[in-house]
Amino acid sequence: MYNFGAMRVWRWLRGTFLAGLVALLPLGLTAFVLWLLYRWAYRVFGPHTGLASLMRRTIGIYIPGTEIIASLLVILLVGVVARHWLGKTILSTVERGLLRVPFIRKVYWTGRHLAHYLFQENKTPTGRVVLVEFPGPGSYILGMLTADEAKPVSQSLGQELSAVYIPSAPNPITGWVLFLPKERLIPTNLTREEGLTLILSGGLLGKEEGNADSSG
């Protein structure tokens, strides 16, 4: 009895730890990369650097926040490189290395596909953002239709079910996956970007329909 209880506690601790790690990893990695980038920019463009002294001599003052502007420019530059064939080749090489690490492989692969789905350019403007009745009758939640038919789950339950991803705020990389019959899905006219904006803003920002014209 003691061993059974200890195993249950261990499984709970292990599952809870992994769930927390998966939830924190995208935020942690993003924050860590931004922190490293800011530290580099501060050493190069900060108020006590040679470039800051040059700025004071040429225009008379040092512009506070230059290191932040430099960090943003570096991110844009990396984005430009990532969209070029050479940058794609480098990223593919790094990706192949990450996919060889056992635990990181699963987390990275899942996060990569989810990020591409959520943030890539929306090829189909409508039809992928749906409403579902959740968690109870009379209340609805916005989600992303990720699969018209989730075959493994459908085969297990003996009915056709669709997969809907429910992003959480403020980190849309984490959320819930609901498997629902198609008749329970309510289509919307929202694009993926509009749906994410509506979710992340807590419902404050949504699709504008001529509000600017009517306000005048």
Side-chain angles (χ1 to χ4, degrees):
M1 181 66 69
Y2 175 78
N3 290 336
F4 179 74
M7 289 180 60
R8 289 187 61 184
V9 172
W10 167 249
R11 284 198 297 267
W12 181 86
L13 287 174
R14 180 177 179 275
T16 304
F17 179 80
L18 291 177
L21 188 61
V22 171
L24 288 174
L25 190 59
L27 287 175
L29 288 177
T30 302
F32 181 67
V33 170
L34 292 177
W35 177 70
L36 289 179
L37 182 59
Y38 176 79
R39 285 192 60 185
W40 169 83
Y42 189 85
R43 288 196 298 267
V44 177
F45 301 98
H48 308 295
T49 61
L51 287 175
S53 300
L54 179 62
M55 189 180 300
R56 293 188 184 97
R57 289 197 300 269
T58 53
I59 64 176
I61 60 170
Y62 167 76
I63 302 175
T66 302
E67 63 274 13
I68 298 177
I69 298 174
S71 300
L72 295 176
L73 290 176
V74 169
I75 294 175
L76 289 175
L77 179 62
V78 172
V80 171
V81 173
R83 302 181 73 174
H84 192 266
W85 70 268
L86 179 59
K88 291 180 179 178
T89 303
I90 296 174
L91 290 176
S92 297
T93 303
V94 174
E95 182 177 272
R96 285 196 296 270
L98 289 175
L99 293 177
R100 292 176 181 174
V101 183
F103 177 74
I104 297 297
R105 176 178 59 204
K106 293 184 179 179
V107 177
Y108 175 81
W109 188 252
T110 303
R112 179 182 181 274
H113 277 273
L114 187 56
H116 273 262
Y117 176 81
L118 291 175
F119 301 117
Q120 70 180 352
E121 293 183 4
N122 199 348
K123 303 301 182 182
T124 55
T126 59
R128 305 301 295 182
V129 180
V130 297
L131 283 167
V132 295
E133 204 168 22
F134 180 85
S139 61
Y140 299 87
I141 194 168
L142 207 61
M144 312 292 169
L145 181 64
T146 55
D148 291 324
E149 182 181 359
K151 290 185 178 180
V153 180
S154 299
Q155 292 172 356
S156 298
L157 296 178
Q159 59 175 322
E160 291 188 5
L161 298 174
S162 299
V164 179
Y165 178 70
I166 309 296
S168 62
N171 180 19
I173 299 298
T174 63
W176 302 269
V177 179
L178 301 182
F179 299 98
L180 302 166
K182 292 182 180 180
E183 58 269 18
R184 291 188 57 186
L185 307 182
I186 304 173
T188 71
N189 291 325
L190 295 171
T191 64
R192 201 174 302 160
E193 181 180 357
E194 291 166 346
L196 281 174
T197 301
L198 187 60
I199 293 170
L200 298 181
S201 66
L204 294 176
L205 301 175
K207 185 176 181 180
E208 297 183 1
E209 297 180 353
N211 292 336
D213 295 335
S214 60
S215 61

